Amino acid sequence: MKSIPYGRQHITQADIDAVTAVLKADYLTTGPKVTEFEEKFAKYIGSKYAVAVSNGTTALHLCTMVLGVNQDSKVITTPITFAASANCVRYCGGEVAFADIVPNTALLDIDKVRTLLEAAPKDTYQGIIPVDFAGYPVNMEAFRNLADEYGLWIIEDACHAPGGSFTDSKGIVQNCGNGNYADLAIFSFHPVKHIACGEGGMITTNDKALYERLQILKTHGITRRQDLMQENHGGWYYEMVDLGHNYRIPDILCALGISQLDKADAGIKRRRAIAKKYDTAFAGLGMANFQPADGINHAYHLYVIAVKNRKELYDALRTEGIYAQIHYIPVHTLPYYQQLGHQKGDYPKAEKYYENCISLPMYPSLTDEEQDFVIKQVLKNGQS
Ligand SMILES: *Cc1c(COP(=O)(O)O)cnc(C)c1O
């Protein structure tokens, strides 16, 4: 029997042709496809600028660098996310503070963040990293208002949410990562994410100054821009104006990303249809706990349900070749973060969420028959 993972890439002949064309062209790494991918991605998301990088984690690191995170910084994020959302603060020597989640969305609880900010002396915190977890868009307008009260920046971790949106207080639909409320947003092109490059990432922003610095930081801090250089010795000449990294993404992968972007809308549509079918199947059973509110266009990177017998269900599904996953082990309970002083029990709602959550197969190429089989096995083995 064919195994059914929780997520997987969807590669077509058009993708293969796009990659092959680059292999036959002049540039394998930084070439025309990088800029084309950045421009097309920015257009898709609705941001002014986009910076393509080697993966979502390096995207996060460049964001904390460009925002000046250092040993004196304290940054708030959610415990229910991939570790990288917190690690990017540590790369720059900063301290990570967590706040608990809202149980029915599993998103960072803005009231808990406000409580943290109110309780601390002024200027204790520098920024907030909300995560559009599972593809459920954070109300970034509300976070912007709070951040402005305290002079904080916002990095939106939108890895799960390209194509998701919420409606703001003016009735305007705001795409995740469009830069209208967050200073910077980041995306990942890991194969389980919506757009697959293998490895890849993107930073989006509406801030020209941040954009320009990010373009330099991703390639060693080196520039050839005449207006930024102190001297010019000739055609070969460049200056290193900042301490950057090699976080570049190759042209080969950008060609794949561009081709994948053509299928993004169809992919979201299919994800929403899959979610609807799961919703219907589990309606009334108390498992489908994370329903989007009005005005929320969920991007469904994950379809998470809550069950009483999580381990039993996980094991039973595996026996049937269904590789469900758990997203996520609360970050503050990971040994590295416990060593830094965080403890089990600190964020009870996140820990309760973790006990019961399980992510079911969710990807555009999941067939109706496969989904029927998953539903049957969940109904047979899951306890709500
Ligand atoms: C995947 C992911 C990342 C990291 O992206 P990579 O491309 O794997 O480095 C960061 N944050 C979240 C929420 C993710 O899901």
Side-chain angles (χ1 to χ4, degrees):
M1 192 183 59
K2 203 172 136 232
S3 70
I4 307 174
Y6 83 88
R8 68 163 289 152
Q9 71 275 21
H10 179 48
I11 301 293
T12 62
Q13 189 59 44
D15 294 326
I16 295 166
D17 293 344
V19 171
T20 311
V22 173
L23 288 171
K24 293 175 180 167
D26 292 334
Y27 297 94
L28 292 187
T29 188
T30 306
K33 291 293 167 192
V34 178
T35 313
E36 187 185 335
F37 189 27
E38 290 175 340
E39 286 172 2
K40 288 190 168 156
F41 193 83
K43 192 156 173 242
Y44 176 66
I45 293 297
S47 66
K48 280 201 184 122
Y49 308 104
V51 182
V53 295
S54 49
N55 58 60
T57 305
T58 54
L60 281 164
H61 185 196
L62 287 176
C63 289
T64 48
M65 279 178 77
V66 83
L67 292 167
V69 173
N70 60 31
Q71 303 87 292
D72 301 324
S73 308
K74 262 181 116 163
V75 176
I76 303 166
T77 192
T78 167
I80 298 300
T81 184
F82 184 56
S85 314
N87 294 349
C88 63
V89 177
R90 301 293 305 140
Y91 297 148
C92 295
E95 190 181 322
V96 182
F98 297 98
D100 215 341
I101 60 163
V102 178
N104 65 351
T105 61
L107 300 179
L108 182 61
D109 186 342
I110 192 167
D111 293 331
K112 291 275 161 46
V113 175
R114 185 187 301 281
T115 305
L116 261 187
L117 294 171
E118 281 170 354
K122 203 173 161 286
D123 297 332
T124 301
Y125 296 95
Q126 273 72 54
I128 313 174
I129 307 179
V131 179
D132 301 308
F133 172 71
Y136 196 123
V138 168
N139 183 334
M140 214 48 77
E141 181 186 27
F143 272 95
R144 179 78 268 164
N145 292 337
L146 179 63
D148 284 349
E149 270 179 55
Y150 288 86
L152 311 185
W153 47 253
I154 298 173
I155 302 171
E156 175 181 6
D157 184 336
C159 282
H160 295 183
S165 63
F166 75 99
T167 306
D168 72 9
S169 63
K170 297 184 197 78
I172 300 168
V173 174
Q174 301 286 349
N175 290 343
C176 294
N178 71 3
N180 285 345
Y181 293 113
D183 298 272
L184 296 163
I186 69 105
F187 296 87
S188 162
F189 307 125
H190 180 279
V192 297
K193 308 286 162 73
H194 290 55
I195 294 158
C197 290
E199 296 284 356
M202 193 75 80
I203 305 166
T204 53
T205 184
N206 290 346
D207 185 317
K208 190 167 183 223
L210 290 177
Y211 163 74
E212 290 185 343
R213 271 199 73 208
L214 288 164
Q215 286 290 8
I216 293 171
L217 285 172
K218 83 168 184 185
T219 179
H220 307 282
I222 285 175
T223 186
R224 289 174 186 275
R225 270 180 51 180
Q226 191 56 53
D227 57 326
L228 298 179
M229 295 200 297
Q230 295 174 7
E231 297 175 30
N232 191 351
H233 304 172
W236 68 88
Y237 190 73
Y238 59 79
E239 284 184 358
M240 188 186 128
V241 295
D242 211 336
L243 182 62
H245 294 274
N246 177 355
Y247 284 170
R248 297 186 302 259
I249 181 171
D251 244 36
I252 307 170
L253 300 184
C254 289
L256 180 53
I258 293 163
S259 173
Q260 288 266 298
L261 205 47
D262 291 340
K263 293 186 276 287
D265 284 333
I268 284 276
K269 220 173 135 201
R270 176 68 188 136
R271 284 172 188 273
R272 289 186 181 139
I274 292 169
K276 201 160 174 209
K277 190 163 166 179
Y278 278 140
D279 287 347
T280 308
F282 306 135
L285 290 178
M287 289 181 184
N289 291 4
F290 310 102
Q291 298 295 327
D294 286 349
I296 293 289
N297 282 309
H298 201 303
Y300 288 110
H301 164 57
L302 304 172
Y303 189 90
V304 183
I305 60 168
V307 290
K308 283 212 182 84
N309 60 338
R310 196 268 306 279
K311 181 162 191 315
E312 223 172 86
L313 177 60
Y314 176 87
D315 291 339
L317 293 177
R318 266 181 105 89
T319 319
E320 298 294 339
I322 300 166
Y323 292 81
Q325 248 316 339
I326 307 307
H327 299 93
Y328 288 96
I329 303 163
V331 178
H332 68 283
T333 69
L334 298 171
Y336 173 79
Y337 282 97
Q338 289 207 41
Q339 278 166 37
L340 294 175
H342 299 280
Q343 288 174 9
K344 279 193 185 155
D346 284 353
Y347 307 101
K349 287 178 181 143
E351 290 167 41
K352 172 74 184 135
Y353 163 85
Y354 168 62
E355 273 175 37
N356 302 122
C357 70
I358 182 164
S359 308
L360 302 181
M362 167 56 85
Y363 48 93
S365 60
L366 182 74
T367 65
D368 288 337
E369 295 71 39
E370 286 169 331
Q371 190 180 7
D372 289 339
F373 182 62
V374 172
I375 289 170
K376 194 174 133 204
Q377 292 303 325
V378 171
L379 292 176
K380 184 175 155 202
N381 297 292
Q383 282 171 19
S384 55

